[in-house]
Amino acid sequence: MDDINAWVWWLVGAAALGIPLVVTAMPEFGMLAAGAAAAAVTAGLGGGVVLQVLVFSAVSVALIAVVRPIATRHRSQRPQLVSGVEALKGRQAVVLERVDGSGDGRIKLAGEIWSARALDTGQAYEVGQEVDVVDIEGATAIVM
């Protein structure tokens, strides 16, 4: 395998590793493809086969060791922007009709009227009190 063919084969390998990246959405294949591209550059600059394999290994392992934990951490983080019912949890509301454990009360939450019940069934909130929304079950806000 001469130097010109070596870099071509490394690029073919990089492209071949890119296919499972697209099909499976596993970023590790992309990191291996980047390692193959680095080996192609090494081959193009005249590096020997041993050096090419070392560059491929070093770049691939370094990317997997550095990028993968960062990607995993970002994937597991809660999104910054919450919407829908999740955005209402933790907000304050004003009691419009007495709220207790029965679920017959009404609150004004984010400009809308919601049915509400107290989280603690023994607790009651009177008209005009501010309450915190802790959960939403269907169309009923659970408050405390």
Side-chain angles (χ1 to χ4, degrees):
M1 172 161 86
D2 62 8
D3 291 338
I4 294 176
N5 287 335
W7 70 267
V8 172
W9 283 112
W10 280 112
L11 287 180
V12 169
L17 287 166
I19 293 170
L21 168 66
V22 173
V23 173
T24 64
M26 291 181 60
E28 291 83 0
F29 285 112
M31 295 172 212
L32 292 172
V41 170
T42 303
L45 294 175
V49 173
V50 173
L51 183 61
Q52 295 168 29
V53 171
L54 287 175
V55 167
F56 169 74
S57 300
V59 170
S60 298
V61 169
L63 285 173
I64 289 172
V66 173
V67 175
R68 191 168 187 262
I70 294 170
T72 301
R73 186 173 53 246
H74 282 288
R75 187 175 23 202
S76 65
Q77 285 180 345
R78 187 179 176 128
Q80 297 289 351
L81 178 65
V82 291
S83 62
V85 172
E86 292 297 317
L88 298 175
K89 293 179 185 177
R91 296 198 51 186
Q92 287 192 330
V94 177
V95 176
L96 299 178
E97 294 177 14
R98 186 174 192 270
V99 174
D100 55 25
S102 68
D104 294 333
R106 298 276 182 261
I107 60 171
K108 187 166 190 171
L109 172 62
E112 298 178 341
I113 310 277
W114 283 76
S115 62
R117 72 175 168 82
L119 177 64
D120 179 5
T121 55
Q123 182 72 36
Y125 304 97
E126 300 302 327
V127 174
Q129 271 188 287
E130 286 192 357
V131 292
D132 293 318
V133 176
V134 293
D135 199 10
I136 304 285
E137 291 179 0
T140 302
I142 312 302
V143 299
M144 60 179 262

